[in-house]
Amino acid sequence: MGGSNPIKLDAASQMQETIVLLPDKTGLSTASAMLQDGQLVAFPTETVYGLGANARNDRAVAQVFEAKGRPSFNPLIVHVADVAAAHKIAQFGAEADRLAAAFWPGPMTLVLPLLPQAMVSPLVTAGLESVALRVPEHPVAQGLLTAFGGPLAAPSANPSGRISPTRAQHVVQGLDGQIGAVIDGGACPVGVESTIIGLLHEPVLLRPGGLPLEAVEECLDRGVPYEALGAAPNAPGQLASHYAPSVPVRLNAHEAVEGEALLGFGPDIRAAALNLSPSGDLVEAAANLFHFLRKLDDEGCPIAVSTIPNKGLGRAINDRLKRAAAPKD
Ligand code: TXA
Ligand code: MG
């Protein structure tokens, strides 16, 4: 509500200086100590930067929602160092074990039944009896999880509704003064968030992401349907306008019209302000996506985007672009 709201004033008085840590031994032990102390630390993963909090500390998890300005019905992903740690948090069936063995560590999140003895804050799961779990591969994320020695709740480290950060500097731009620290591990190699697979009943794709759906289907030897967002009561609504630049975004553009900047893909695109991948490589395009959307957003003119093939990482790219283009209210 208004600026006179005492809770807001209180939050403002808690503004702190966000420190940038190096991804070395000292940086990781400082980050781990801050997390033990209940502070928030952003860290790189192979997908995007995560905003980490001790998943067992209610207060720290609550601060994640506050720092992001995120609707609190949206549960967070729990990050652990390895499959053994994951088994202490959720119940794994045969298909979960198969996927974990094939793709962890890596850009895949599994939604599984939460074990009662997992002891994660109910804020992490938004009160659901399921939990989203991921074992990231990035050496800095691995180093931090090992140093910390427990589960870290970590959504993408951006203010709610904004583009996910793929550089430490993006995190600082969005959350400076709201979080304790960010570990600077450079650019995130995958560049889009993890693929989320729901395994509460039959396997479903909840969010296309950095692991191609084709790989998941091949591993399980069956089709994995996309469960339309918000269709099931347990699938937390992802806001339509998510990953949103502040300028209008037009999809499947053949060329830019007057005043637009063209975000191209592939070799046939002329006059692109930026090209996600001149060679037409979807992996390269995913890695560049959020970085380039930010760059064009900063220039302030509407963005026209070329057609991206809807296969492999193209599914995740098109999903994010659709949200970027959704009407903002
Ligand atoms: O790549 C990623 O997944 C990044 C990095 C930091 O790991 N994290 C990320 O987190 O994208 P976040 O919080 O921005 O997205 C988490 C998604 C949300 O859409 C949330 O609704 C869904 O996971 N989710 C979390 N717990 C869930 C649950 N129990 N059931 C269904 N969906 C869940
Ligand atoms: Mg996010």
Side-chain angles (χ1 to χ4, degrees), residues 20 47 61 107 114 134 139 156 165 170 175 194 247-251 257 260 264-265 270 278 287 297-298 300 311:
V20 178
T47 57
V61 177
L114 176 67
R134 164 157 132 79
S156 52
H170 301 161
L175 298 174
S194 58
V247 297
V249 176
R250 184 167 70 84
L251 304 182
V257 301
E260 282 181 336
F265 174 83
R270 285 153 197 276
D297 194 13
D298 287 347
K311 56 171 199 222

Side-chain angles (χ1 to χ4, degrees), residues 68 70 155-156 158 164 193 207 242-243:
K68 283 183 64 89
R70 182 184 231 199
S156 52
N158 50 284
S164 293
E193 295 87 345
R207 178 179 73 182
H242 202 101
Y243 311 100

